[in-house]
């Protein structure tokens, strides 16, 4: 079962007692009494006839939803997997081990558990102008994930650098700029060097900025820090 997330919602039946309206991508398997859905992205609304013993389960990378006779939505995005109950009751088990039962009018969100998933969540939160606390929580979870890679670590520090810069928390911003540079990733190194030079000059003085200015100049990016170099000449 798949449809473009931008297309008009499609409908399908998964046996006599299960109907689904969906706009997104997923796969269906199992039997009419025990349908199994792997939902990858988008929104799917399931309608299950109560009292028929249907064992419907919907799986996403963030968790699993068990139907207990209901109508409910499953929406998967960069923010995680959100389950909303329109009628009846469902059980939700998240990948982090938490489990809840929710009823009509309630919702529950399973958050990403991988470093890359938390990075995607942080970027989606940034786009939605979320609070600094939400962004810092998402990036902290990503940095603590067991599958953290060097490039994901670098991008998580880049998000944190933006957060602390936006709140004028200069020492913390400098710490994140240095953390990015310590990952040795090249994707945005000139950007991080420029931020580190500006922040170190602001927080610790011109002497601390010299190493970053020198690297930028050696890489042919002197123009990007010309104004700062004028204020902080080479010793």
């Amino acid at each position: 079962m798949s449809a473009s997330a931008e297309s008009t919602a499609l409908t399908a039946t998964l046996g006599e007692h299960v109907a689904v309206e969906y706009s997104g991508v997923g796969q269906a398997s199992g039997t009419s009494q025990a349908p199994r859905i792997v939902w990858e992205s988008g929104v799917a609304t399931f309608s299950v006839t109560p009292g028929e013993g249907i064992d419907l389960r919907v799986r996403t990378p963030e968790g699993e939803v068990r139907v207990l006779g209901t109508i409910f939505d499953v929406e998967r995005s960069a923010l995680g997997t959100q389950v909303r109950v329109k009628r009846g009751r469902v059980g939700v088990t998240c990948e982090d081990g938490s489990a809840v039962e929710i009823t009509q009018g309630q919702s529950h969100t399973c958050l990403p558990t991988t470093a890359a998933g938390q990075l995607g969540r942080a970027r989606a939160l940034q786009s939605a102008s979320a609070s600094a606390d939400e962004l810092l929580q998402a990036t902290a979870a990503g940095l603590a994930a067991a599958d953290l890679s060097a490039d994901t670590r670098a991008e998580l520090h880049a998000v944190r650098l933006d957060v602390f810069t936006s709140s004028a928390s200069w020492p913390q911003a400098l710490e994140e700029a240095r953390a990015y540079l310590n990952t040795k990733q090249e994707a945005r190194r000139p950007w991080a060097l420029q931020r580190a030079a500006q922040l170190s000059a602001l927080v610790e003085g011109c002497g601390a900025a010299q190493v970053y200015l020198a690297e930028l100049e050696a890489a042919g990016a002197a123009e990007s820090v010309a104004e700062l170099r004028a204020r902080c000449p080479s010793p």
Side-chain angles (χ1 to χ4, degrees), residues 78-79 112-126 135 137-143 145 148-160 188:
L79 294 172
T113 56
T114 65
Q118 288 290 359
L119 174 59
R121 175 175 168 79
R123 286 172 170 164
L125 288 169
Q126 270 189 311
L135 286 162
Q137 287 171 6
T139 52
L143 290 169
L148 182 64
S149 64
D151 58 341
T152 300
R153 178 188 294 275
E155 291 305 311
L156 286 165
H157 284 302
V159 173
R160 292 173 69 85
R188 292 201 280 169

Side-chain angles (χ1 to χ4, degrees), residues 180 192 200:
Y180 181 100
S200 57

Side-chain angles (χ1 to χ4, degrees), residues 5-219:
E6 290 75 33
S7 69
T8 301
L10 302 180
T11 59
T13 56
L14 304 174
E16 183 180 356
H17 300 293
V18 181
V20 57
E21 181 177 293
Y22 64 97
S23 180
V25 179
Q27 293 82 43
S29 62
T31 66
S32 60
Q33 280 297 114
R36 296 292 182 263
I37 308 298
V38 176
W39 192 244
E40 299 174 17
S41 64
V43 182
T45 299
F46 296 88
S47 179
V48 181
T49 305
E52 298 295 337
I54 302 299
D55 179 23
L56 168 66
R57 303 198 181 197
V58 183
R59 184 80 186 173
T60 76
E62 288 79 34
E64 182 180 84
V65 184
R66 290 183 302 110
V67 67
L68 305 172
T70 190
I71 299 176
F72 66 100
D73 295 337
V74 177
E75 178 176 4
R76 181 160 191 264
S77 69
L79 294 172
T81 295
Q82 184 179 58
V83 183
R84 297 179 292 266
V85 178
K86 296 182 176 180
R87 186 186 71 203
R89 184 165 55 100
V90 300
V92 183
T93 302
C94 298
E95 281 296 300
D96 63 8
S98 62
V100 297
E101 286 192 2
I102 56 176
T103 60
Q104 182 174 334
Q106 295 180 323
S107 65
H108 186 75
T109 300
C110 292
L111 301 180
T113 56
T114 65
Q118 288 290 359
L119 174 59
R121 175 175 168 79
R123 286 172 170 164
L125 288 169
Q126 270 189 311
S127 297
S129 300
S131 69
D133 284 346
E134 289 180 285
L135 286 162
L136 292 175
Q137 287 171 6
T139 52
L143 290 169
D147 64 342
L148 182 64
S149 64
D151 58 341
T152 300
R153 178 188 294 275
E155 291 305 311
L156 286 165
H157 284 302
V159 173
R160 292 173 69 85
L161 171 53
D162 285 339
V163 173
F164 286 124
T165 299
S166 295
S167 62
S169 301
W170 309 127
Q172 294 92 331
L174 175 58
E175 182 179 343
E176 298 299 335
R178 287 173 170 164
Y180 181 100
L181 293 170
N182 287 340
T183 66
K184 307 300 182 184
Q185 298 303 296
E186 297 297 328
R188 292 201 280 169
R189 188 170 182 84
W191 167 83
L193 283 167
Q194 185 175 352
R195 300 287 285 275
Q198 294 165 339
L199 289 163
S200 57
L202 178 65
V203 175
E204 299 173 352
C206 283
Q210 295 299 333
V211 62
Y212 308 117
L213 291 169
E215 183 175 340
L216 283 164
E217 289 164 342

